[in-house]
């Protein structure tokens, strides 16, 4: 890939990578307004309902430690696509969780997928745009990612008020599916190309 000038569609590539990176954060902030509804539905205290967020945060942090080596060993694209698939699976399972324990397990699965998205999106920026432009593109990506905590609670709270907390996970499932389809069609493997350039 020619790194001297922007490739056609590079803005779409940035937006796609930013959206995938932001999905990990969205799964936290969209759910916060729905925590009282989860507590009420399962008949648990709000402190226990907050474990839905804390378990996800732990899984997101731990998942990145695992995703990093996998990205170098298996490639960027397979890890990203597998991560998005896990994210979808976890979100869908959470939407139908019959008990709090199942909800927490589903959140761990979703978090592991979100971690893959965070890691691969940042690594692919370096692969695609090279050292000279990667810093600027990373800044743009992070600016887009940082918008999500401001927007996600509003969206999540509105959806939860209208359709219940399970609908929030339904929306996250749909967002993950859209991201998976987009990544499948628009994001090729970038690790091998970078290795070839280094030779």
């Amino acid at each position: 890939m020619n790194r001297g000038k922007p490739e056609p569609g590079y803005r779409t590539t940035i937006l796609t990578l930013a959206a995938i990176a932001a999905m990990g954060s969205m799964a936290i902030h969209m759910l916060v307004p729905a925590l009282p509804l989860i507590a009420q539905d399962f008949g648990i205290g709000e402190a226990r309902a907050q474990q839905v967020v804390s378990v996800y945060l732990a899984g997101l942090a731990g998942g990145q430690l695992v995703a990093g080596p996998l990205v170098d060993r298996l490639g960027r694209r397979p890890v990203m696509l597998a991560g998005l698939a896990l994210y979808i699976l976890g979100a869908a399972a959470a939407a139908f969780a019959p008990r709090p324990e199942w909800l927490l397990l589903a959140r761990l699965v979703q978090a592991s997928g979100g971690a893959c998205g965070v890691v691969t999106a940042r690594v692919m920026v370096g692969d695609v745009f090279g050292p000279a432009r990667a810093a600027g593109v990373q800044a743009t990506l992070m600016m887009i990612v940082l918008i999500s905590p401001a927007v996600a609670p509003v969206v999540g709270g509105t959806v939860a008020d209208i359709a219940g907390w399970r609908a929030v996970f339904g929306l996250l499932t749909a967002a993950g599916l859209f991201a998976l389809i987009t990544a499948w069609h628009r994001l090729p493997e970038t690790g091998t190309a970078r290795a070839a350039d280094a030779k």
Side-chain angles (χ1 to χ4, degrees), residues 95-172:
F96 294 99
R99 299 171 56 187
E101 295 80 9
W102 286 100
L103 178 58
L104 293 179
L105 180 60
R107 287 289 278 173
L108 278 176
V109 174
Q110 187 184 18
S112 64
C116 292
V118 171
V119 171
T120 53
R122 292 176 180 173
V123 171
M124 289 177 81
V125 165
D127 292 342
V128 172
F129 296 98
R133 295 182 58 220
V137 176
Q138 287 279 14
T140 302
L141 184 145
M142 292 309 300
M143 180 182 66
I144 296 172
V145 169
L146 289 174
I147 294 174
S148 64
V151 177
V154 178
V155 175
T158 302
V159 171
D161 287 341
I162 295 173
W165 65 269
R166 294 181 187 274
V168 176
F169 286 110
L171 182 59
L172 290 171

Side-chain angles (χ1 to χ4, degrees), residues 17-102:
L17 292 173
I20 292 172
M23 290 182 67
S25 175
M26 286 174 54
I28 300 168
H29 298 285
M30 282 185 67
L31 197 63
V32 170
L35 291 179
L37 296 177
I38 293 175
Q40 182 179 4
D41 190 21
F42 286 124
I44 58 178
E46 290 195 19
R48 189 177 177 194
Q50 289 174 2
Q51 292 178 355
V52 175
V53 173
S54 58
V55 164
Y56 183 91
L57 285 170
L60 188 67
Q64 291 182 56
L65 298 177
V66 177
L70 289 179
V71 163
D72 291 330
R73 181 179 295 271
L74 302 177
R76 283 68 161 134
R77 180 177 163 87
V79 175
M80 173 174 281
L81 296 179
L84 288 170
L86 284 174
Y87 187 93
I88 295 167
L89 177 63
F96 294 99
R99 299 171 56 187
E101 295 80 9
W102 286 100

